[in-house]
Amino acid sequence: QLSVAFSIWWNDPCDWVEDIDNSFLAEKLKKLSRSDLELLSKYVVVGYSQTELAQQYGISQKNIQKKLQRIIKILRQGV
């Protein structure tokens, strides 16, 4: 049901990036790959747990955790 509400707010699951006021963060987010941004969106904006994401992607929770850590590291570069 969260994904339904999410699609009502934005046409595209990654459109929320356009609403970020912090230009530095917005630019970092825009440089992420589409798959990384979608994963981050599902985790941060929609609120899926790492376990739920692992089930959706067909990989382990540990792999989801590693992917999210890598994304966060990218976002923190230059801060």
Side-chain angles (χ1 to χ4, degrees):
Q1 76 200 77
L2 282 175
S3 60
V4 172
F6 188 71
S7 65
I8 292 170
W9 294 331
W10 296 286
N11 292 326
D12 183 288
C14 301
D15 281 352
W16 63 273
V17 173
E18 300 300 323
D19 296 333
I20 300 290
D21 289 334
N22 181 316
S23 60
F24 180 78
L25 179 57
E27 286 305 312
K28 290 277 192 175
L29 289 165
K30 289 176 186 175
K31 291 181 181 178
L32 292 176
S33 70
R34 176 74 182 188
S35 60
D36 283 350
L37 189 52
E38 285 179 1
L39 176 63
L40 185 66
S41 298
K42 289 178 179 182
Y43 186 64
V44 175
V45 180
V46 179
Y48 286 118
S49 69
Q50 291 182 13
T51 302
E52 291 170 319
L53 290 168
Q55 291 171 346
Q56 287 181 22
Y57 286 85
I59 60 177
S60 71
Q61 179 272 329
K62 189 72 171 171
N63 281 340
I64 292 292
Q65 182 182 27
K66 287 179 182 179
K67 288 176 180 284
L68 290 169
Q69 287 173 338
R70 181 181 50 76
I71 293 167
I72 290 167
K73 184 177 178 180
I74 291 168
L75 295 176
R76 286 186 174 160
Q77 286 176 350
V79 174

